[in-house]
Amino acid sequence: MLPHPDQTTTGASFAQFRRRAFVAIEDVRLQTALEGATGRFRQHREAALAALPEADALRDHLKAVRAATLADLAHHLETFERQAIAAGARVHWARDAAEARAIITNLARQNGVKLVTKTKSMATEEIGLNQALAEAGVTPVETDLGEWIIQLAGEPPSHIIAPAVHKTRHQVAQLLSRETGQDLIADDIPRLTAAAREHLRARFLQADMGITGANIGVAETGSIVLVTNEGNAEMTTSLPPIHVVLMGIEKIAPTWDDAAAWLSLLARSATGQPLSVYTTILTGPARADDPEGPRQMHIVLLDNGRSRLLNTLYEEVLQCIRCGACLNVCPVYREAGGHAYGSPYSGPIGAVITPLLFGLEQYAALPHASTLCGACRDACPVRIDLPRLLLSLREEEVARNVLPWPDRAAERSAAFILAHTRLLHATRTLLRPFTNIATTESDFSPLHALTAGRKLPSLASRSFHQMWHNGEV
Ligand code: SF4
């Protein structure tokens, strides 16, 4: 069982990130799985957006909607609460992960819940809900196929929308064979899915409570929107007598028009689908004369550090619609994989949101887990300037002395040298022989650990400055 993130967070110091990334890079099966999945997501996303002539205008519109919503978030949340209560739901406010866990486990205890079915929810990963439920004597069963696979493997998700993206079908077949007691083979995908369906169907029928996240909360009607491809959300929200929703406070759309713009881009950016297979809208629990459906609906609104970001230079990160597109284009994520980040949120969005929610000191390496190439900003449906946010976090690390001392010393020296032209020329002349050594492939090079496997270009014999001075350019 995984730890509560806010209690025993895995963290990502420079050494931890480097170690995990090296392990991932050496893992041939992981590299194959990552390259295949992220490559498919990228191609599908590009094709879906190319087929939508108004895609760019829609992205600008959604960004404006998200910015305006955050500018008046308290008002929209209160509208949402009022409308959800009017529809028969109960609304709970959770300041942090501990409060959210306590609210949900208390609901389970009060209602004698023993078995919970869950849909995929990054918010529940963020608060470490599964372990809290287990400690309260409740068995949580993930019902999204990817989430179930990693639950069986005892691992955290490695991608925002595809939690088991790092698993090959052979590994999946092994896990499902162990769990179901059947002899499943990797190439028989229909049999694998049938075995999963059969196994999970029984859990849906036995569950006392269903727990979901929320892709969107629509303020004007107090409704929850869930976006899935497997139909497990329908089972989770209609079969058990109690439905609990855990939703980050930033996931609000004021109106249905705003939600429509959001939905137009979410699946296209995530998987390249015009819409996901299921888009479920839930407004309150079952009515008195409904023959079926949950008798109780509880919506837990999770802050956990989000409101702290409002009106700061990091507010833009709350515009995220969790599509995962930035992960699929990121050269660091595609090599290092999601587990290197030591957080439920990985890739470029994880590198920004994780230190902001869980602590810059504990996740000092993440703002540096980027080449700043800008691919994430270009892919983001709401054009979040992730490179700018990463640079701001790096600046904050310098100001707060978070960097390890060798990095601090190196950066201060570099800043001093770059600010003094003569010193820069002298340094370049002094360093040239050493860069020539470093660029050799020799095992005896003093920089072998850094240069092994790649070639650094040697310094030019004359600088651009000298060439300019001599009238050569
Ligand atoms: S930052 Fe943008 S691209 Fe990345 S998950 Fe959020 S919305 Fe998607």
Side-chain angles (χ1 to χ4, degrees):
M1 197 61 72
L2 301 169
H4 301 318
D6 60 336
Q7 289 178 347
T8 46
T9 343
T10 328
S13 66
F14 285 85
Q16 283 172 314
F17 186 85
R18 239 175 251 145
R19 195 176 53 245
R20 293 189 207 120
F22 275 126
V23 169
I25 289 164
E26 296 292 318
D27 185 338
V28 177
R29 285 205 295 193
L30 174 66
Q31 291 298 316
T32 308
L34 270 178
E35 191 46 45
T38 56
R40 279 192 300 280
F41 281 142
R42 283 200 309 277
Q43 281 170 7
H44 293 165
R45 173 189 159 272
E46 280 162 21
L49 291 180
L52 187 71
E54 68 275 29
D56 273 339
L58 202 51
R59 290 171 72 182
D60 292 337
H61 173 66
L62 183 58
K63 181 160 189 76
V65 165
R66 297 291 292 132
T69 306
L70 293 172
D72 204 7
L73 187 61
H75 165 72
H76 297 304
L77 283 167
E78 281 165 12
T79 307
F80 175 82
E81 179 186 36
R82 206 167 43 246
Q83 296 296 76
I85 291 171
R90 276 199 56 197
V91 177
H92 311 256
W93 296 83
R95 253 176 308 213
D96 54 28
E99 272 193 15
R101 288 193 298 267
I103 291 166
I104 298 172
T105 50
N106 284 340
L107 282 170
R109 275 198 202 97
Q110 286 157 12
N111 289 280
V113 170
K114 291 283 168 237
L115 181 72
V116 159
T117 48
K118 286 181 69 228
T119 60
K120 196 183 90 53
S121 153
M122 293 310 293
T124 64
E125 296 284 349
E126 178 184 326
I127 67 165
L129 183 60
N130 281 4
Q131 173 152 342
L133 288 169
E135 284 166 5
V138 179
T139 305
V141 177
E142 298 289 351
T143 63
D144 170 271
L145 201 47
E147 277 292 334
W148 189 46
I149 289 164
I150 59 162
Q151 187 183 30
L152 295 180
E155 294 173 10
S158 66
H159 191 286
I160 288 176
I161 63 155
V165 71
H166 58 290
K167 292 280 180 219
T168 61
R169 64 183 193 282
H170 299 279
Q171 292 170 313
V172 171
Q174 277 172 6
L175 287 166
L176 296 197
S177 297
R178 194 186 70 195
E179 182 65 13
T180 63
Q182 301 179 41
D183 192 13
L184 300 165
I185 52 168
D187 291 329
D188 192 352
I189 305 290
R191 184 73 203 107
L192 284 174
T193 46
R197 185 180 296 124
E198 204 177 295
H199 197 78
L200 290 175
R201 186 62 56 100
R203 303 290 176 275
F204 285 123
L205 294 169
Q206 293 161 352
D208 313 296
M209 178 185 271
I211 298 179
T212 69
N215 292 94
I216 310 173
V218 184
E220 67 175 329
T221 54
S223 308
I224 293 295
V225 182
L226 291 171
V227 169
T228 62
N229 275 323
E230 297 170 18
N232 58 319
E234 282 58 41
M235 310 281 253
T236 302
T237 58
S238 58
L239 290 174
I242 306 166
H243 175 203
V244 175
V245 182
L246 180 67
M247 182 175 93
I249 55 170
E250 81 283 18
K251 293 284 195 76
I252 287 283
T255 67
W256 277 105
D257 281 347
D258 300 332
W262 190 322
L263 287 170
S264 303
L265 285 169
L266 179 55
R268 283 187 169 92
S269 306
T271 53
Q273 295 163 282
L275 270 182
S276 52
V277 177
Y278 299 90
T279 300
T280 310
I281 297 165
L282 300 159
T283 311
R287 309 296 185 264
D289 54 350
D290 283 346
E292 56 196 23
R295 297 293 137 187
Q296 297 178 41
M297 182 186 196
H298 297 266
I299 303 173
V300 182
L301 295 172
L302 176 69
D303 184 337
N304 206 25
R306 289 161 172 78
S307 60
R308 224 175 31 221
L309 304 178
L310 293 168
N311 301 312
T312 71
L313 52 81
Y314 299 111
E315 180 179 298
E316 191 185 7
V317 80
L318 297 175
Q319 294 173 8
C320 174
I321 61 171
R322 302 280 190 272
C323 69
C326 56
L327 280 67
N328 303 327
V329 298
C330 175
V332 175
Y333 173 86
R334 283 160 51 199
E335 294 294 323
H339 290 163
Y341 295 75
S343 158
Y345 301 110
S346 53
I349 181 63
V352 174
I353 197 93
T354 302
L356 291 173
L357 294 186
F358 307 142
L360 190 55
E361 283 76 6
Q362 201 175 351
Y363 285 93
L366 296 195
H368 304 266
S370 168
T371 61
L372 301 179
C373 66
C376 51
R377 180 185 48 218
D378 296 344
C380 177
V382 275
R383 306 189 196 281
I384 296 174
D385 194 348
L386 291 158
R388 174 186 70 82
L389 298 171
L390 288 165
L391 280 173
S392 298
L393 284 169
R394 290 184 193 182
E395 277 172 25
E396 209 161 312
E397 286 188 339
V398 173
R400 282 161 58 176
N401 265 349
V402 170
L403 289 176
W405 75 261
D407 298 56
R408 263 198 331 263
E411 289 192 8
R412 287 201 177 127
S413 310
F416 186 78
I417 291 168
L418 288 169
H420 297 85
T421 315
R422 281 171 200 272
L423 190 56
L424 177 63
H425 293 325
T427 308
R428 195 186 51 235
T429 309
L430 277 173
L431 281 181
R432 182 168 295 119
F434 295 101
T435 60
N436 287 335
I437 292 171
T439 53
T440 67
E441 299 260 319
S442 161
D443 278 349
F444 303 108
S445 160
L447 296 179
H448 177 70
L450 186 67
T451 58
R454 61 182 144 184
K455 286 189 174 170
L456 296 176
S458 313
L459 285 181
S461 57
R462 277 164 306 139
S463 70
F464 179 80
H465 182 269
Q466 287 167 327
M467 291 165 80
W468 179 271
H469 196 68
N470 296 340
E472 297 172 49
V473 286

